[in-house]
Amino acid sequence: MKNLKIRAEDIDDGATSTPLDFPHLPSQTSQLRWLIWPLTVVALCTAGSALTAVFVPSARAVLLGEDGIIETGGAVCLASVVLLAGAATVVSGPRAALSLGGLLGLAELMDETSFGARILGFQPPALYGGGELDGFHDVLILAYRLMDELSPGLGWAFIGLILAISLGTLVFALRVVWNMRIDAGWPWLSNHVLIFLHVGLIGMAQVVDVATTSRTLSAVEELLEFNAAVFLLFYLAQQVVETTRQSSSA
């Protein structure tokens, strides 16, 4: 009874990991560290890209254009996600978080490489209304075009739905972070904040891609996709580290 009393007092004092409190989850400090690092990378890359685009106009195409530095960087992050997820699965066995992150990374990498068309040099099939069917995102474009033909309002309602889901996911992720700081609420979800941020940013990028043709907004889309890829890479790294730690302590 004495030991139980001490443990209860530890929980009341704000301990984040006790024998009675989700021992399989990382500590609050560890979770926040995994959040701070990708946020720092994203903030620095976004600020650097914006400043370069404003003050060095000649570098815009190289930095933010098709197959530019930002898009290539995003593809490298996604390829790293796929390799990391595959290697971790072979070493530690299948895990839901690793499988989900790896499959998302693979799908988005195929989008970035046009299903391999850019690497292998084949011509993707034509897309209804113009362009090519060279990525999963083109399914959204096709749906928007078909809805817009039926009714312009229906097409914009479709865009609004994607935007609402994306913003809702980002707000939900921020709410989880807030709970981590205030009362350590939602301990399971707090271990997956990065993937919620990834999904929210990818959704925002799709809104820009589907609804606009502006070059400026296309550059914004590339930045959103790059930032989302950074979050996904850090998410996979977090899950691999925590999986390895659990295996070592078992």
Side-chain angles (χ1 to χ4, degrees):
M1 293 297 292
K2 183 178 180 180
N3 290 335
L4 289 176
K5 183 178 179 181
I6 293 173
R7 290 177 181 174
E9 289 172 355
D10 288 340
I11 295 172
D12 290 341
D13 288 338
T16 56
S17 180
T18 73
L20 300 178
D21 185 24
F22 299 95
H24 61 289
L25 291 176
S27 67
Q28 222 174 314
T29 301
S30 175
Q31 289 172 318
L32 289 173
R33 187 183 300 119
W34 281 110
L35 179 63
I36 290 171
W37 276 109
L39 284 174
T40 301
V41 172
V42 164
L44 290 175
C45 290
T46 301
S49 300
L51 290 173
T52 301
V54 171
F55 294 106
V56 190
S58 59
R60 292 175 184 171
V62 176
L63 182 66
L64 297 168
E66 188 78 9
D67 294 328
I69 295 173
I70 292 297
E71 185 174 15
T72 301
V76 170
C77 286
L78 294 172
S80 300
V81 165
V82 175
L83 293 174
L84 185 58
T89 299
V90 170
V91 172
S92 304
R95 302 288 180 101
L98 298 177
S99 299
L100 176 61
L103 289 173
L104 282 174
L106 179 61
E108 292 166 27
L109 179 62
M110 294 191 63
D111 261 19
E112 291 291 349
T113 59
S114 301
F115 293 126
R118 298 184 186 179
I119 298 174
L120 302 177
F122 66 86
Q123 185 68 31
L127 179 66
Y128 176 78
E132 299 172 335
L133 183 60
D134 60 357
F136 294 110
H137 64 281
D138 288 322
V139 176
L140 296 177
I141 295 176
L142 178 60
Y144 169 74
R145 288 176 178 174
L146 292 175
M147 290 182 185
D148 191 57
E149 283 192 1
L150 292 174
S151 170
L154 188 60
W156 283 110
F158 178 64
I159 296 298
L161 177 62
I162 299 175
L163 179 61
I165 293 173
S166 302
L167 289 175
T169 304
L170 292 174
V171 170
F172 177 74
L174 295 177
R175 176 71 186 278
V176 173
V177 173
W178 178 259
N179 277 8
M180 288 166 60
R181 295 293 295 170
I182 299 302
D183 58 8
W186 299 340
W188 181 83
L189 286 175
S190 62
N191 196 35
H192 301 279
V193 169
L194 294 178
I195 202 165
F196 285 113
L197 292 172
H198 168 80
V199 171
L201 288 178
I202 280 295
M204 296 293 292
Q206 300 317 305
V207 169
V208 174
D209 185 38
V210 172
T212 67
T213 56
S214 166
R215 289 186 178 181
T216 301
L217 289 177
S218 293
V220 172
E221 177 200 350
E222 298 296 345
L223 269 174
L224 288 171
E225 290 178 343
F226 171 78
N227 292 342
V230 169
F231 280 122
L232 186 60
L233 178 58
F234 274 90
Y235 174 74
L236 253 294
Q238 176 190 14
Q239 299 306 315
V240 169
V241 169
E242 297 302 335
T243 298
T244 304
R245 185 176 300 166
Q246 291 171 24
S247 301
S248 301
S249 61

